[in-house]
Amino acid sequence: MIKHIVIVGGGTAGWLTAGILAAELAGGAESSVRITLIESPDVAAIGVGEGTWPTMRTTLMKIGLSETEFIRECGTSFKQGSKFVGWKTGAENDAYYHPFTPPLGSAGVNIAAAWKKGFGELPFADAVCLQSQISELGLAPKQITAAEYAGSLNYGYHLDAGKFSGLLQRHCVSKLGVVHILEHVSQIKSTDVGDIESLLMSGGRKVAGDLFIDCTGSSCLLLGQHMGVPFVDQSAHSINDSAIAIQVPYADEDSAIASSTIATAQSAGWTWDIGLSTRRGVGYVYSSSHINHDDAEKELRQHIAKSVGVDKAEELAARRIPIKAGHRAKFWQNNCVAVGMAAGFIEPLEASALALVELSANMIRDELPVSRDALPIVEKRFNKVFSYRWERIIEFLKLHYVLSERRDTEYWRDVTSPNSVPEGLQELLDLWTYREPYYNDMLHCEEIFPAASYEYVLFGMGFKQSSERAVRKSDGIAGGIAMIENNLRSVDRYAKVLLSNRELIKRINTHGLQRI
Ligand SMILES: Cc1cc2nc3c(=O)[nH]c(=O)nc-3n(C[C@H](O)[C@H](O)[C@H](O)COP(=O)(O)OP(=O)(O)OC[C@H]3O[C@@H](n4cnc5c(N)ncnc54)[C@H](O)[C@@H]3O)c2cc1C
C-alpha cells in the first residue's frame, strides 16, 4: 500500500508538490497518506523563479491559500503575459505581446484570417484581445470588488520566490499536516528490485517511504545520481547557459508596476524585467560562448541604468547562475519521480518551469494508485506525457528565435540557424506557411502551449505565409471581424474601471479581497 510519500527538497517545487498532494490525499482518514518533506540545511534553494502562469490561481485555491495573504506576503503583483522587446529586428519600436488571455474566436471562427482581412495594420494581439493594451497601460486584471482568484482578464503572478516557499511551508505544515524534516540526505538505500526503500540523514536518522519525490533541484539526487537515469542535453536547441540576476528597488512606494514580464533581446541573449510589488527582479539570460560573464554583467547594468541611472545600476548586487539546458531521459522510475529542476530546466523564457511543477504534482495526485503494484503503468504514462511536454516546451521557446530577422551579432546568427530548429517545430512552420494555425494542430487536449500561443508569437514576430489559402465559409470571417471591432471598442470601457497594478495591490494590502 502507498501510505507514506517522501519529498526530498524544500525549494518551490518541493513545497508546491507537498501542498498539491497534501490538500487532496492527506488529512488523517483511513485512506489518507502521510507526507514528509526533507530539506537540507546545507543546500540553498535556487531562489529565482518569479513569474507564474494563470494555472497558479487554481493551484493556490485548491491548496487552500488565501489570495490576499499570498499578495501581502510574497511581494506579489499581477502578471498578464509577456512583452517581447527587440526580438524581431532590434529597431526602436520593435515589440509584441504574448498575453495570457487567448485570442477571441472559437472553432467556428478563424480569428487570424479575420485579422488579416480587415485589421492587418494593427498588432495581432491588440486586435484579437484586450489584454496587451490593458497591460501596456499598467492596469490590473481585476477590480477590488472581484473575489479572490477571479479576474476580468486572465492573470498569473510575479512573486518573490524565497517568500513564496516560506509561505507554502508554513501553510503545508500548519494546515495540511505535512511533516517537515530539516536534515541533509546523505545515503539512499534500495531494495533488490531497485525501488528506494529509505533515506539516511547526515545525523543518522532513517526515513522509509513508499513513493519518493525528487525535488532536489539540478543535483537530481534520487532519480539521477542514485538511480542513474541519464540527463538529456538540449543545448543544441537552447544555447543559453548562464544567467545573472539583480534586484532593483523602486524609486518610491508609488512607482508603477509593470503588468507583464518584459523580455528584451540583448547582444547574446535576453533580459527579463519582473515588477514585484516590493522591487523589480531583473536578469540576463545569455550564452557564455558568445559573451563572457563580466561583459554580460556590464550589458545588464547598462540596461538597468536606463531606468535607474548609471550610479544606482552600478551599486546593485549581482548573482550569477549557471543553466544546464535539458531534462532527464525519464521522470519516473520504480517508486521515484522527479519534479522541478530535478526533472529538467530550459531557459526561463515564457516562465514554464513552475507550471510544469504544477502539472507534474497534479498528475501524481490524480494517478496515485492505492498500492505499489500499479506503479509500473503510472510510471509509463507519466513518462510518456512529460516527454511530450518537454518536447513541446523546447519547440515553443525556439520559435521565439527562429523568426527573428536579427543578424547583428554572432549570437543572433547562431540562434536563428536552421540547423538548430527541432524537427517538430519545422514541421509546424512548414504547415503554417500555407494556412493559419488551428486549435487542433496540437495533438493533446491539455497542451502546455496551445495553437493560440503560437499565433501570438508567430504574428507578433511578423510571420508571413508563402501562399494565402482561399477564405472558406468555415473561417467565419464576418463573425471574426465583428469580434475584433467589439474588442477594440471595449478597451476604453475596461481602462476606465480598472485600477493600476500598484493601486490595486495597495488596496488589497489595506482592505483584502473577498474570500471565496
Ligand atoms: C535564472 C532563472 C530564472 C527563472 N525564472 C523562472 C520563472 O520566471 N518562472 C518559473 O516558473 N520558473 C523560473 N525558473 C525556474 C524556477 O526557479 C525553479 O523551477 C523553481 O525554483 C523550483 O526549483 P526546485 O525547487 O526544483 O529546486 P531548488 O530551488 O534548487 O531546490 C532544491 C531543494 O533540494 C534540497 N536538497 C538538495 N540536496 C539535498 C539533500 N542531499 N538532502 C536534502 N535536501 C536536499 C535543497 O535544500 C533545496 O531545498 C527560473 C530559473 C532560473 C535559473
Side-chain angles (χ1 to χ4, degrees):
M1 304 298 279
I2 296 178
K3 299 300 278 179
H4 187 201
I5 298 177
V6 180
I7 298 168
V8 186
T12 321
W15 285 113
L16 263 179
T17 304
I20 290 169
L21 297 185
E24 181 78 29
L25 305 171
E30 178 79 3
S31 59
S32 66
V33 294
R34 276 186 302 132
I35 296 174
T36 300
L37 185 145
I38 305 170
E39 175 184 5
S40 170
D42 310 325
V43 185
I46 190 160
V48 280
E50 299 182 327
T52 84
W53 283 14
T55 48
M56 191 59 80
R57 283 152 61 200
T58 316
T59 295
L60 297 183
M61 199 162 38
K62 283 194 175 165
I63 289 178
L65 257 173
S66 142
E67 191 180 35
T68 303
E69 189 185 354
F70 166 61
I71 288 168
R72 287 176 179 164
E73 292 197 19
C74 301
T76 310
S77 69
F78 300 103
K79 169 175 176 176
Q80 298 189 52
S82 296
K83 179 180 180 181
F84 293 92
V85 179
W87 286 73
K88 189 182 169 207
T89 59
E92 188 74 2
N93 59 352
D94 172 14
Y96 71 96
Y97 269 93
H98 176 194
F100 283 145
T101 302
L104 295 160
S106 59
V109 174
N110 182 343
I111 200 76
W115 164 66
K116 280 197 241 160
K117 184 98 183 137
F119 304 89
E121 79 290 352
L122 280 181
F124 176 71
D126 288 358
V128 303
C129 167
L130 278 174
Q131 197 151 34
S132 49
Q133 293 164 87
I134 294 298
S135 186
E136 189 66 17
L137 293 168
L139 298 176
K142 65 192 284 174
Q143 293 175 278
I144 186 71
T145 46
E148 292 200 332
Y149 299 114
S152 311
L153 295 162
N154 200 12
Y155 68 90
Y157 305 102
H158 287 143
L159 53 82
D160 181 314
K163 290 179 180 166
F164 185 43
S165 286
L167 176 66
L168 286 170
Q169 176 189 322
R170 290 192 295 282
H171 184 77
C172 287
V173 172
S174 66
K175 301 269 171 51
L176 302 176
V178 175
V179 174
H180 183 202
I181 298 176
L182 197 60
E183 286 193 57
H184 188 83
V185 173
S186 54
Q187 259 185 59
I188 300 164
K189 205 164 167 255
S190 285
T191 65
D192 297 344
V193 293
D195 285 2
I196 295 180
E197 182 212 79
S198 57
L199 309 173
L200 206 64
M201 314 294 124
S202 302
R205 188 201 309 214
K206 185 173 155 186
V207 177
D210 302 306
L211 180 72
F212 290 83
I213 306 187
D214 187 342
C215 294
T216 57
S218 50
S219 66
C220 194
L221 183 68
L222 278 63
L223 191 79
Q225 290 186 42
H226 176 71
M227 290 183 135
V229 172
F231 181 78
V232 180
D233 184 286
Q234 292 288 359
S235 55
H237 303 307
S238 181
I239 63 174
N240 294 336
D241 61 0
S242 304
I244 302 177
I246 294 185
Q247 298 187 356
V248 182
Y250 286 115
D252 58 56
E253 60 184 26
D254 291 325
S255 298
I257 304 172
S259 301
S260 293
T261 297
I262 302 165
T264 306
Q266 305 290 350
S267 73
W270 57 278
T271 48
W272 76 80
D273 189 336
I274 286 182
L276 310 188
S277 62
T278 43
R279 60 167 170 81
R280 283 158 62 206
V282 186
Y284 191 3
V285 178
Y286 58 96
S287 156
S288 65
S289 312
H290 294 84
I291 190 169
N292 68 48
H293 300 299
D294 289 341
D295 285 347
E297 190 173 323
K298 211 158 119 193
E299 193 175 349
L300 175 60
R301 288 188 192 280
Q302 281 164 357
H303 176 68
I304 293 171
K306 288 179 208 155
S307 53
V308 301
V310 175
D311 293 347
K312 186 88 216 163
E314 283 305 317
E315 73 196 26
L316 298 169
R319 184 178 153 216
R320 295 182 183 180
I321 306 159
I323 291 177
K324 207 167 156 212
H327 51 79
R328 293 288 140 189
K330 53 182 179 167
F331 312 99
W332 193 315
Q333 181 163 294
N334 294 32
N335 66 340
C336 177
V337 52
V339 175
M341 303 286 275
F345 184 65
I346 307 281
E347 60 166 334
L349 194 66
E350 296 286 3
S352 52
L354 292 178
L356 216 49
V357 169
E358 297 172 80
L359 285 167
S360 304
N362 287 347
M363 186 162 178
I364 297 170
R365 175 198 64 201
D366 296 344
E367 303 286 334
L368 190 78
V370 177
S371 88
R372 282 164 66 164
D373 302 347
L375 280 182
I377 183 65
V378 178
E379 169 188 332
K380 193 172 171 192
R381 287 176 57 77
F382 188 95
N383 286 330
K384 221 176 179 175
V385 168
F386 283 89
S387 298
Y388 178 83
R389 286 189 168 141
W390 275 102
E391 256 181 61
R392 297 289 80 74
I393 290 173
I394 292 161
E395 288 174 6
F396 187 65
L397 297 194
K398 189 67 190 174
L399 179 72
H400 296 70
Y401 296 94
V402 294
L403 301 174
S404 179
E405 293 163 22
R406 290 186 70 143
R407 300 290 183 271
D408 47 318
T409 60
E410 197 188 338
Y411 174 85
W412 284 98
R413 289 189 286 278
D414 287 349
V415 90
T416 51
S417 147
N419 301 335
S420 66
V421 183
E423 213 180 303
L425 174 60
Q426 192 54 58
E427 189 180 310
L428 288 171
L429 289 170
D430 291 346
L431 176 71
W432 294 330
T433 54
Y434 81 89
R435 68 155 168 80
E436 298 80 25
Y438 197 49
Y439 74 98
N440 63 2
D441 288 340
M442 307 297 147
L443 303 177
H444 285 212
C445 60
E446 211 190 20
E447 281 289 342
I448 190 145
F449 292 107
S453 290
Y454 280 85
E455 284 188 314
Y456 279 129
V457 177
L458 278 177
F459 300 130
M461 290 290 282
F463 178 75
K464 293 271 181 293
Q465 289 165 282
S466 57
S467 62
E468 286 291 333
R469 196 197 61 172
V471 170
R472 298 188 181 161
K473 247 196 233 155
S474 59
D475 286 334
I477 296 286
I481 287 177
M483 283 176 179
I484 293 174
E485 283 167 348
N486 188 38
N487 178 58
L488 295 173
R489 279 195 299 270
S490 304
V491 176
D492 282 349
R493 200 156 33 87
Y494 274 73
K496 275 193 192 118
V497 295
L498 291 171
L499 297 170
S500 71
N501 226 355
R502 168 68 75 196
E503 189 54 35
L504 179 61
I505 289 162
K506 276 189 173 177
R507 293 209 192 170
I508 292 172
N509 285 336
T510 314
H511 306 291
L513 288 163
Q514 185 196 325
R515 285 212 72 167
I516 37 171

